[in-house]
Amino acid sequence: MNDTRDLTNLTVTDALAALRSGELSCTELVRAFLERIERLEPRLHAFITLTPELALRQAAAADRQYTRARKSGESTPPLLGIPLAVKDLLALAGVRCTCGSRILDNFVPPYSATVVQRLLDAGVVVLGKTNTDEFAMGSSTENSAYGVTRNPWNVKHVPGGSSGGSAAAVAARMTPAALGTDTGGSVRQPASFCGVTGLKPTYGRVSRFGLVAYGSSLDTVGVFARTAADVALLFSHMAGFDPRDATSVDFPLPLPCLDGKTNLKDVRIGVPQEYFIEGIQPEVEGAVKAAITHLEKLGAVVLPISLPHTEYALPVYYLIAPAEASANLARYDGVRFGPRVEAENILDLFCNTRGQLFGAEVKRRIMLGTYALSAGYYDAYYGQAQKVRTLIKQDFEKAFELVDVIAAPVAPSTAFKIGEHADDPLAMYLEDIFTLPANLAGVPGLAFPVGFDYQGLPVGMQLMGAPFGEEMLLRLAHVYQQTTTWHLQTPTGVD
Amino acid sequence: MQYEPVIGLEIHAELLTRSKMFCGCPVVDFTQAPPNSAVCPVCAGMPGTLPVVNRQAVELALRVALALQCQIAPVSLFARKNYFYPDLPKGYQISQYEYPLAQHGKLPIQTADGERLIRIRRVHLEEDTGKLTHVIGEKESYSLVDLNRAGVPLLEIVTEPDIHTLEELRAFAEGMRHLLRVLGVNSGDMEKGVIRFEANVSLRTVGSAELGTRVEIKNLNSFRALIRATAYQIEQQMAALQRGETIEQETLGWDDTSEMTFSQRSKEEAHDYRYFPEPDLPPLVVEHAWLERVAASLPELPFARLKRFQTQYGLSAEDAALLIAEYLIADYFEETVQAAPGVAPRMIASWITGELFAWLNQSGERLEEIKVSPAGLGELLRLVAQDEINLNTAKTVLSEMLRTGRTAGQIVAERGLKQISDADQIARWVARVLAENPQELKSYLSGKETLINWFFGQVMRLAGGRADPQQLRQELEKQLQSMKSNSS
C-alpha cells in the first residue's frame, strides 16, 4: 500500500487486519494520516495541539511489537497501532490540555484520563488533541478560544459541537477514530453534522476521571468513527469500572457484540411523537423516517411512543448543567495552574484572571448557574429542575417497558452556517433539544448518517437505549450500515 | 433585667486516617512536613480529577456519631460549599449539608451543679482546607499556599444552644476532646490545630425561651481562647443590652494576643455558599452490618467509665477523673486492681496519681514505656497491705523498680528491706536511742512533748527505716510514759 490517500480511507477494523497481517506498517499508516492532517488542517482547523513526534514514536514501537509477535506468535494489544484523535477536554499526560480556553492555555496535565489510558494500553497512537467549544459549552465549536473548526462537507458551515474537532477530523479522514465528550449532545450532534457515527454511552459506563468537568452529573466520554463496528470495537476498550471515579459502574461491553445477521425480528423500535415537531427541517424528518422504515423492512417492529416531558429538557438542562459548571469552573483562579493575571490583592487576581481568560459563553453559563443555586432561588430553579429531571428519566423508563430502542432525529436541522447563531444564544441552545433528554436520563445514544439535505450536508439519526443498552444500539446501526451506504459517503470538497 | 448566656458550639476535628478524605495522599503532621509535600492532582483540584470517599474516615465518623448517641442516616449526601479562597483548591469544599451522616445526639457533662446533657444537632464529614502563610516584607508582601492539609478528613460536630455557663462550656469542650481521643479518632493535640471551635453566643432574659441575636466567633483553637472569647463576648453583649442597644448579627474573629474579638463580616456580608449535592459522589450508604461492627468496637465511654470507677472502686470523683483522663492509665489501674486482689483500689489509685504520675513527669517517659507492669505494682502494694514493708520503704522500692525494672520482691529480699515487727528488737532500739540522748529526753520530760517525733525519726534511722512504724510509735510512747511516771 504505497498510495497514502488510500490508507486514510481505512476503517479501524480494516487497518487492524492490515497491521496484523504485516501488509501495512503502523508508521506508514500514521504518516498517511499526519500528511493528510498537514494538508487539511489549515482549512478545517480540527486540532488545537498536534502530537506528530509522539505518534511516530508510538507507531515505531507498535511496528517493533508486531514484528516480534509475528516471530514469536505472541498476541498483541487489541488496538495496537490504531491512530486516534483526542478531544482537548480529556487529559493526556505530558500534552497540553486547553479545553478550548485561554485559562488553561499552558496547562500540561501530569496524568491521563482513565479512558485515554485504557486506549493507550490497548495500543492506540495519539495524533493530537482536537478543537472544542470552551469547556464543551457550545453546539458549533465556535466558542473555542483557538478558532473555529469547519465542516468538511462545507467549510462555510459549522461541524457542530462541542466535539466538533473530533467529528470533523473523522469525517475528513484525518483520523480513523476520535474521542469526544457528550454532556448535552456534544458527540451525537457533531456526528450528525459531519456524517460520522458517534456514541454517547450510559452515564457511569466510561470513567470520567481526566475528563475536565462541565456538568458532572451529565458528562460522558464518547467516541467517533466511520462505522458502528469501529465504534463498538473502540468502546469495548473504553468501558468499565474505575476506582478513581465513584460514579463509574462495572459494566464492560461484551465483544463481539456484532454478528453478520441482518434480521431485526423481535426488535421493537419506539418513535416518540415529541421529537417530530413543527420547525424541524423537512429533509431531516424525511431521512430519519426513511431510516426507520428501512429498519422496519429488516424485521423490526415500529411503535409510536410518547416521552411527555421532552419539552422541559431544555430549561432543566440549562439550570442543572450551568449550576454544576459554576462550581466545576471555580478552580480556575490562577493560583495553582494556568496563566494568571496579576493584581494587587487576591480578589482582583481572581476577578482579572477569570474575567479576562474565560470566554463569553462560559461566563454566561457560570452566571446562570450561580443564580440558579443562590439562596432564595435554589428551590425554584435548581431544586425544581432536579424534580423535572426525575420525570424525564421516568419517561424513558416507561418507554423502555414497551420498546427496545427509541429512534429520533439528532438535531432539528443539518449543520448551520458559521456565525448564524452568533448573536442568539437561545437559538444555539435549541440545537440540543433532541439530544439533552438522553443526558438528563443517563441513557445511551448513538448518532449515524441516514441521508443528506439539498445542500449536500449529512443528516443523522439518533438511537437511544435503556441504561447499558449500547450493544443494542450498535447492533441496529451496524445492521443498517450493512444494508445502506450513507456512512460510506465522504466529503470531497476539502481535497 | 437578668440575662443568661446561650452558647452553641461547632467543633471541627481532624480524623486520624492514614490518607486524605478523597484521595490517596498521606495525612502528614503539618507542623513538620515540608510545604506541599503531600499533594496530588486530586487534592490540588486539578482539572478532570475526581474525589473518592475514604472509608476509614467514614468509619471514624461513625465511631463519634455512635458515641454521641446520634441517629445515623442509612443514606447521607455530600454537598459542595462554594466560595473562593486561595487555600481552597477546587473553589468549593466537599461537605455535607441537607442530609448529614448523623443527627440528634447528646454528650453528658459533669459540673459542680451535677450532670447535664448537651444535645448534639448534627455530625457530618467534610474536607479541610490548605494553609496560608502571609509574608509581609519591606519590598513586597505575598501569601504562600501549603496544600498538605487540603483534603484532610474533618468531622464537624454541631451542638444545640444548650450551654449556659463558662463552666459548662469548659466541661463540654474538654469532654469532647477526651471523647475524640478515647475513640482513637483524633490526637487531641490542640496546639497543632487538630480540634478547632466556633462559638455562637447570645443572651436572653432569664426564664425566657426565646433566643437573642447570636454572634459567631470563629477560629478558637484552644480551650483558653474558647473560654476567653466567649466570656469577652458575653460581657460585650451584656453591656450593650444594659445600655439599651441591640445586638447585631455578625461573625467575629478572636485575637489571641489582645484577647479581643474583632468583626469579620456583618449579616449583610454573609456568604451565600450555594450548597448543592456533590454530583461526583454517589449517596453515602451505611449498611446496618457495618454500623453494628463499628458499635461493637467502641471502648467504654468516658462518662460511663467515670461513674463506674466511683461506684465499683469507691474512688473519689477527682481520682476517677484523673485516671480516666488517659485511657491507658485507667486500664493500668484496672489491671493493677486485678493483680492485687487484697489491696484497696483507692490505695492503688493514690499510688498511681501520686508516685507514678510524679515519675512520668520527672522522667518524661510515657506509660507504655515504664518498666513497672500493673502486676509489678500490684506485688509491691500487696507487700505494703500485708505490712511486709512500710510506706516509706515502698516508695524507695518503687523508685528503684521504675529505674531498673527489677521486681519488688527481688529488691526487698536483696536489700533486707522487709519490715521488722520483732517487739524485742524494737524495744531495744527505742531504749538505746533514749539512753543516747539524755538532753532531749530531759527536755521531753520537762514538757516539750513534740520531741516524740524526733525520737521516732532517730529510732527509725537506727532501724534502717524498716521498723513497723505503728509498733515503733507504740513502744516509744510506752517507754516514755513509764519514764514520765518514774520521774514524777
Side-chain angles (χ1 to χ4, degrees), chain A residues 19 36-37 40 44 70 75 108 133 137 157 217 235 260 289 307 311 313-314 329 364 387 396 411 437 477 479:
Chain A
L19 288 168
R36 188 164 170 86
I37 289 170
L40 298 189
L44 295 180
R70 271 192 292 273
S75 63
V108 178
D133 285 298
M137 295 179 186
H157 290 249
S217 71
F235 181 62
K289 286 196 163 155
L307 299 166
E311 62 172 311
L314 188 81
L329 272 64
R364 184 178 294 123
K387 286 181 198 156
F396 280 91
V479 168

Side-chain angles (χ1 to χ4, degrees), chain A residues 111 208 210-211 327-328 331 336 375, chain B residues 44-48 80 89 272 280:
Chain A
Y111 45 89
R208 291 184 295 118
L211 154 63
N328 284 332
R331 69 190 63 197
R336 294 167 313 285
Chain B
M46 288 177 103
R80 293 184 182 177
D272 176 1
D280 286 334

Side-chain angles (χ1 to χ4, degrees), chain B residues 408-424:
Chain B
Q410 286 171 339
I411 298 167
V412 168
E414 213 167 278
R415 295 187 26 200
L417 292 174
K418 212 160 175 186
Q419 181 159 284
I420 294 165
S421 336
D422 179 342
D424 291 345

Side-chain angles (χ1 to χ4, degrees), chain A residues 116-137:
Chain A
V116 171
Q117 190 57 52
R118 284 193 178 172
L119 290 171
L120 287 172
D121 293 344
V124 301
V125 170
V126 179
L127 300 173
K129 305 288 297 285
T130 57
N131 201 6
T132 168
D133 285 298
E134 186 174 3
F135 289 104
M137 295 179 186

Side-chain angles (χ1 to χ4, degrees), chain B residues 42-192:
Chain B
V42 176
C43 58
M46 288 177 103
T49 59
L50 295 170
V52 177
V53 172
N54 178 342
R55 231 179 129 78
Q56 197 200 1
V58 179
E59 185 144 337
L60 297 186
L62 289 175
R63 286 174 78 80
V64 178
L66 284 168
L68 293 172
Q69 301 171 63
C70 289
Q71 292 170 19
I72 290 158
V75 178
S76 62
L77 285 186
F78 286 98
R80 293 184 182 177
K81 178 183 183 178
N82 297 285
Y83 64 97
F84 285 97
Y85 210 61
D87 65 6
L88 186 68
K90 296 186 295 295
Y92 57 84
Q93 178 193 34
I94 303 178
S95 179
Q96 295 193 296
Y97 185 59
E98 269 188 290
Y99 303 97
L101 182 69
Q103 297 187 81
H104 313 303
K106 49 186 178 287
L107 180 70
I109 58 167
Q110 186 78 47
T111 66
D113 299 334
E115 183 188 327
R116 275 208 63 207
L117 283 177
I118 305 299
R119 290 171 303 158
I120 304 295
R121 182 178 293 169
R122 57 186 279 151
V123 174
H124 77 241
L125 275 162
E126 57 187 35
E127 56 177 338
D128 211 343
T129 61
K131 211 177 114 226
L132 293 184
T133 308
H134 303 289
V135 182
I136 315 257
E138 275 182 25
K139 281 192 187 146
E140 52 173 4
S141 299
Y142 51 89
S143 300
L144 297 171
V145 185
D146 178 6
L147 296 181
N148 280 349
R149 203 180 66 182
V152 166
L154 210 53
L155 195 67
E156 179 170 319
I157 302 162
V158 184
T159 75
E160 296 292 345
D162 284 352
I163 299 166
H164 299 295
T165 67
L166 295 177
E167 190 199 357
E168 288 175 359
L169 180 63
R170 175 174 284 282
F172 179 84
E174 289 181 350
M176 182 60 79
R177 171 177 177 268
H178 189 218
L179 180 69
L180 296 173
R181 293 189 57 209
V182 162
L183 292 170
V185 306
N186 184 288
S187 70
D189 291 337
M190 306 275 295
E191 67 279 7
K192 288 183 178 166

Side-chain angles (χ1 to χ4, degrees), chain B residues 206-341:
Chain B
V206 173
S208 157
E210 226 167 285
L211 294 173
T213 308
R214 73 197 173 110
V215 163
E216 186 182 353
I217 318 166
K218 286 188 170 296
N219 318 326
L220 301 168
N221 298 344
S222 65
F223 291 133
R224 183 189 156 89
L226 172 67
I227 306 290
R228 296 280 181 130
T230 306
Y232 179 81
Q233 186 50 222
I234 291 169
E235 275 170 38
Q236 296 281 304
Q237 291 190 22
M238 202 78 87
L241 289 177
Q242 266 150 13
R243 285 196 301 271
E245 295 166 10
T246 53
I247 307 296
E248 294 294 320
Q249 186 180 326
E250 61 180 337
T251 302
L252 303 175
W254 171 250
D255 183 14
D256 254 332
T257 9
S258 68
E259 301 213 321
M260 279 160 68
T261 52
F262 59 91
S263 184
Q264 281 191 328
R265 53 179 183 262
S266 68
K267 189 182 177 184
E268 291 73 32
E269 297 163 319
H271 279 141
D272 176 1
Y273 291 116
R274 306 189 309 281
Y275 282 100
F276 73 102
E278 166 58 278
D280 286 334
L281 293 170
L284 176 61
V285 177
V286 178
E287 313 92 15
H288 190 67
W290 189 15
L291 204 53
E292 282 195 331
R293 231 171 27 248
V294 176
S297 74
L298 289 186
E300 185 183 11
L301 299 179
F303 207 74
R305 201 169 198 186
L306 186 73
K307 291 200 146 173
R308 184 168 64 80
F309 272 31
Q310 293 173 64
T311 52
Q312 183 177 343
Y313 302 123
L315 302 187
S316 68
E318 291 71 27
D319 274 353
L322 276 173
L323 290 175
I324 72 149
E326 291 283 352
Y327 263 34
L328 279 174
I329 286 173
D331 293 344
Y332 189 97
F333 164 74
E334 295 207 85
E335 282 166 39
T336 309
V337 170
Q338 291 262 311

